[in-house]
Structure formats: structure tokens, C-alpha cells
């Protein structure tokens, strides 16, 4: 199996300045099979992809550790990413769709 390096969809990245213990979400576009999530803050963030109206759950969804970057595959029809921190904590993210890992 050949793994393709991540090819970002330039111009499609979004920054989330304040991820808190209240779940939020943002559009990431449709059509891409992967996203790269960069946690630019100092606390862990939990994320999940899906359709509009979704929420992330601290402690049970995909964890993105502080000051780290992950590539996540997703169904092409997922248009949003939800994010949340643990109680009383906050962080920030940069998210960009694309293809590959």
C-alpha cells in the first residue's frame, strides 16, 4: 500500500482562536478525505468530524495533544469538525482539509 503525503487544500485552512469546554464546530468543506489539525495551544482538544450540528465530547472523542499536529481521515461528505477542551481549560486550533497523510 502506497501512502500519499498530505496535500493541503491551500486557502481552505481555518483558525479557531478559542476552544473551550463548550463544544464548538466549524465548516471544513466537502470533498476532502483528510484534515490536518494543529493544536496551537497549551491544552488537549477533543475533535470529531461530521455534518452540521455535531458536538465533540471531552474524554471520548479523538484527542489532539497540546502543541501537536495530527492527520485524520474522514468521509468525503463530512462538512464540519467539532472541538472541545476539558472543563475550565482552553486551547486554539488550525485546521486544513486536503488529501493523503
Amino acid at each position: 500500500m502506497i501512502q500519499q503525503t498530505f496535500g493541503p487544500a491551500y486557502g481552505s485552512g481555518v483558525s479557531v482562536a478559542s476552544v473551550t469546554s463548550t463544544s464548538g464546530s466549524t465548516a471544513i468543506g466537502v470533498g476532502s478525505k483528510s484534515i490536518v489539525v494543529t493544536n496551537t495551544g497549551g491544552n488537549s482538544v477533543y475533535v470529531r468530524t461530521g455534518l452540521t450540528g455535531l458536538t465533540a465530547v471531552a474524554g471520548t472523542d479523538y484527542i489532539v495533544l497540546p502543541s501537536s499536529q495530527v492527520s485524520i481521515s474522514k468521509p468525503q461528505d463530512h462538512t464540519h469538525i467539532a472541538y472541545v477542551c476539558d472543563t475550565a481549560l482552553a486551547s486554539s486550533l488550525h485546521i486544513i482539509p486536503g488529501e493523503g497523510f
Side-chain angles (χ1 to χ4, degrees), residues 12-14 16 25-30 50 52 78-83 95 97:
S12 299
V14 293
V16 181
S25 67
T26 192
I28 53 172
V30 66
T52 186
H78 281 192
T79 58
H80 286 72
I81 185 169
Y83 39 78
I95 305 149

Side-chain angles (χ1 to χ4, degrees), residues 6-9 12 14 26-29 32-38 47-50 62 64 69-75 78-82 93-101:
F6 184 75
S12 299
V14 293
T26 192
I28 53 172
S32 65
K33 295 180 185 176
S34 300
I35 56 172
V36 167
V37 180
T38 305
V47 300
R48 79 165 60 185
T49 66
Y62 191 89
V64 183
Q69 184 177 70
V70 296
S71 178
I72 302 171
S73 60
K74 68 172 194 64
H78 281 192
T79 58
H80 286 72
I81 185 169
L93 296 174
H94 183 270
I95 305 149
I96 191 164
E99 297 298 325
F101 297 98

Side-chain angles (χ1 to χ4, degrees), residues 1-92:
M1 178 172 151
I2 298 173
Q3 291 194 357
Q4 174 185 348
T5 59
F6 184 75
Y10 292 109
S12 299
V14 293
S15 292
V16 181
S18 183
V19 177
T20 67
S21 59
T22 300
S23 182
S25 67
T26 192
I28 53 172
V30 66
S32 65
K33 295 180 185 176
S34 300
I35 56 172
V36 167
V37 180
T38 305
N39 184 344
T40 56
N43 292 300
S44 295
V45 176
Y46 299 89
V47 300
R48 79 165 60 185
T49 66
L51 303 176
T52 186
L54 77 155
T55 58
V57 180
T60 63
D61 283 330
Y62 191 89
I63 190 170
V64 183
L65 298 174
S67 301
S68 69
Q69 184 177 70
V70 296
S71 178
I72 302 171
S73 60
K74 68 172 194 64
Q76 285 183 298
D77 65 341
H78 281 192
T79 58
H80 286 72
I81 185 169
Y83 39 78
V84 69
C85 281
D86 284 315
T87 302
L89 298 177
S91 199
S92 54

